[in-house]
Coordinates of all heavy atoms in Angstrom, one line a residue:
V4 N 89.1 117.9 111.8 CA 90.2 117.0 111.7 C 90.6 117.1 110.2 O 89.8 116.9 109.3 CB 89.9 115.5 112.0 CG1 91.1 114.6 111.8 CG2 89.3 115.4 113.4
K20 N 92.5 103.8 106.7 CA 91.7 103.1 107.8 C 91.3 104.0 108.9 O 92.1 104.8 109.3 CB 92.5 101.9 108.4 CG 91.8 101.1 109.4 CD 92.7 100.0 110.0 CE 92.0 99.1 111.0 NZ 92.8 98.0 111.5
W21 N 90.0 104.0 109.2 CA 89.5 104.7 110.4 C 89.7 103.8 111.6 O 89.2 102.7 111.6 CB 88.1 105.1 110.2 CG 87.9 106.3 109.3 CD1 87.6 106.4 108.0 CD2 88.2 107.7 109.7 NE1 87.6 107.7 107.5 CE2 88.0 108.5 108.6 CE3 88.5 108.3 110.9 CZ2 88.1 109.9 108.6 CZ3 88.7 109.7 110.9 CH2 88.5 110.5 109.8
L22 N 90.3 104.3 112.6 CA 90.6 103.5 113.9 C 89.4 103.7 114.9 O 89.4 103.0 115.9 CB 91.9 103.9 114.5 CG 93.1 103.8 113.6 CD1 94.4 104.4 114.3 CD2 93.3 102.4 113.2
K23 N 88.6 104.7 114.6 CA 87.4 104.9 115.5 C 86.2 104.9 114.6 O 86.2 105.3 113.4 CB 87.5 106.2 116.2 CG 88.6 106.3 117.2 CD 88.4 105.4 118.4 CE 89.4 105.5 119.5 NZ 89.2 104.7 120.7
V29 N 86.9 109.6 121.8 CA 88.4 109.6 121.5 C 89.1 110.6 122.4 O 88.5 111.7 122.7 CB 88.6 110.0 120.0 CG1 88.0 111.3 119.6 CG2 90.0 109.9 119.6
D32 N 95.1 113.4 121.1 CA 96.4 112.7 120.7 C 96.2 111.2 120.6 O 97.2 110.5 120.3 CB 97.5 113.1 121.6 CG 97.9 114.5 121.6 OD1 97.7 115.1 120.5 OD2 98.3 115.1 122.6
E33 N 95.0 110.6 120.7 CA 94.8 109.2 120.5 C 94.7 108.9 119.0 O 94.1 109.7 118.3 CB 93.5 108.8 121.2 CG 93.2 107.3 121.1 CD 92.0 106.9 121.7 OE1 91.2 107.8 122.2 OE2 91.7 105.7 121.7
P34 N 95.4 107.9 118.5 CA 95.3 107.6 117.0 C 93.9 107.5 116.6 O 93.0 106.8 117.1 CB 96.0 106.2 116.9 CG 96.9 106.2 118.1 CD 96.2 106.9 119.2
L35 N 93.6 108.3 115.5 CA 92.2 108.4 115.0 C 92.0 107.7 113.6 O 91.0 107.0 113.4 CB 91.8 109.9 114.9 CG 90.4 110.2 114.4 CD1 89.4 109.6 115.4 CD2 90.2 111.7 114.3
F36 N 93.0 107.9 112.7 CA 92.9 107.2 111.4 C 94.3 107.1 110.9 O 95.3 107.6 111.4 CB 92.0 108.0 110.5 CG 92.5 109.4 110.1 CD1 93.1 109.7 108.9 CD2 92.4 110.5 111.0 CE1 93.5 110.9 108.5 CE2 92.8 111.7 110.7 CZ 93.4 112.0 109.4
E37 N 94.4 106.2 109.8 CA 95.7 106.0 109.2 C 95.6 106.5 107.8 O 94.6 106.5 107.1 CB 95.9 104.5 109.1 CG 96.1 103.8 110.4 CD 96.3 102.3 110.3 OE1 96.3 101.8 109.1 OE2 96.5 101.6 111.3
E46 N 99.9 106.8 111.4 CA 98.7 107.1 112.1 C 98.6 108.6 112.4 O 99.6 109.2 112.7 CB 98.6 106.3 113.5 CG 98.6 104.8 113.3 CD 98.6 104.1 114.6 OE1 99.0 104.7 115.6 OE2 98.3 102.9 114.7
I47 N 97.3 109.1 112.4 CA 97.1 110.5 112.7 C 96.3 110.6 114.0 O 95.3 110.0 114.1 CB 96.3 111.2 111.5 CG1 97.1 111.0 110.2 CG2 96.1 112.7 111.8 CD1 98.5 111.6 110.2
P48 N 96.8 111.4 114.9 CA 96.2 111.5 116.2 C 95.0 112.5 116.2 O 95.0 113.4 115.3 CB 97.3 112.0 117.2 CG 98.2 112.8 116.3 CD 98.2 112.1 114.9
S49 N 94.1 112.4 117.1 CA 92.9 113.3 117.2 C 93.4 114.6 117.7 O 94.2 114.7 118.7 CB 91.9 112.7 118.1 OG 90.8 113.6 118.3
P50 N 93.0 115.7 117.1 CA 93.4 117.1 117.6 C 92.7 117.5 118.9 O 93.1 118.5 119.5 CB 93.0 118.0 116.4 CG 91.8 117.3 115.8 CD 92.1 115.8 115.9
L55 N 83.6 111.3 118.0 CA 83.8 111.4 116.6 C 82.4 111.6 116.0 O 81.5 110.6 115.9 CB 84.4 110.1 116.0 CG 84.6 110.0 114.5 CD1 85.4 111.2 114.0 CD2 85.3 108.7 114.1
V72 N 88.6 116.1 107.0 CA 88.2 114.7 106.9 C 87.2 114.2 107.9 O 86.6 113.1 107.7 CB 89.5 113.8 106.9 CG1 90.4 114.2 105.8 CG2 90.2 113.8 108.2
A73 N 87.1 114.9 109.0 CA 86.2 114.5 110.1 C 86.0 115.7 111.1 O 86.7 116.7 111.0 CB 86.7 113.3 110.9
I75 N 85.1 116.5 115.4 CA 85.0 116.0 116.7 C 84.1 116.9 117.5 O 84.2 118.1 117.5 CB 86.4 116.0 117.4 CG1 87.4 115.1 116.6 CG2 86.3 115.5 118.9 CD1 87.1 113.7 116.6

Side-chain angles (χ1 to χ4, degrees):
V4 181
K20 183 178 181 181
W21 281 100
L22 303 175
K23 295 290 184 179
V29 60
D32 295 328
E33 183 181 4
L35 183 59
F36 64 105
E37 296 178 358
E46 294 178 344
I47 303 301
S49 175
L55 180 56
V72 300
I75 302 292

